[in-house]
Amino acid sequence: MKTYFILFSVFWCCLGGGDANAQNHHVAKVDSINSLPFVFITSNPETAEPLLMANSTLADSIGYTLGAARSHAQLGLVYNYLGKQDKRTEHILTSIRLYEEIDSMRLAGYQYTELGYGIKHRNLELAEEYMMK
């Protein structure tokens, strides 16, 4: 219950107007949530999932492509730990597309590597293809 109160509080703070200060506030909130520690995400994937889903929606709504890409990459990690490999792949591919949109090839390449590494036991040829990108 406490966790959901915290999540609600974070997104309550994200509500605001359309001025530049509100925009900067939204970007800061998206970045903050995207910076959740690895150990938190992997230890609490059920809690992190709705938070990161809402975060990607917020990032999309304010046109913050980098924030949305990072949220989707984090969701890929969440779904990996939840054992939902199809959703993991979907979110990583979304993050790659968004990173490529903003010409961040290094981050897109990192996600390709993550994707390839994650499927190496299921489809080695496809894993190699992703890792070579």
Side-chain angles (χ1 to χ4, degrees):
M1 182 70 161
K2 182 179 178 182
T3 303
Y4 290 105
F5 176 74
I6 293 169
L7 298 178
F8 175 76
S9 298
V10 168
F11 281 98
W12 182 257
C13 291
C14 290
L15 298 174
D19 64 358
N21 285 335
Q23 177 77 4
N24 292 337
H25 181 73
H26 292 321
V27 168
K29 289 293 182 182
V30 169
D31 288 343
S32 177
I33 293 166
N34 282 337
S35 296
L36 287 171
F38 175 84
V39 77
F40 173 80
I41 292 172
T42 59
S43 299
N44 305 286
E46 298 87 3
T47 303
E49 178 188 14
L51 181 58
L52 289 164
M53 287 296 287
N55 202 45
S56 71
T57 301
L58 175 61
D60 284 339
S61 74
I62 62 172
Y64 184 33
T65 306
L66 178 61
R70 287 181 175 155
S71 292
H72 284 286
Q74 293 286 56
L75 281 163
L77 179 62
V78 164
Y79 288 121
N80 185 53
Y81 278 83
L82 290 174
K84 298 178 180 180
Q85 296 306 315
D86 289 342
K87 284 191 167 210
R88 173 188 180 269
T89 301
E90 173 188 331
H91 284 282
I92 290 177
L93 288 172
T94 299
S95 74
I96 290 168
R97 179 183 54 77
L98 292 170
Y99 283 135
E100 289 175 342
E101 268 182 34
I102 59 172
D103 202 29
S104 183
M105 295 307 153
R106 182 183 59 81
L107 293 172
Y110 179 80
Q111 290 303 310
Y112 273 122
T113 302
E114 285 291 310
L115 185 57
Y117 186 81
I119 65 170
K120 70 179 186 265
H121 294 296
R122 292 187 316 251
N123 187 336
L124 186 58
E125 287 181 24
L126 186 57
E128 288 176 353
E129 183 180 325
Y130 283 138
M131 292 182 95
M132 293 302 292
K133 288 186 176 201

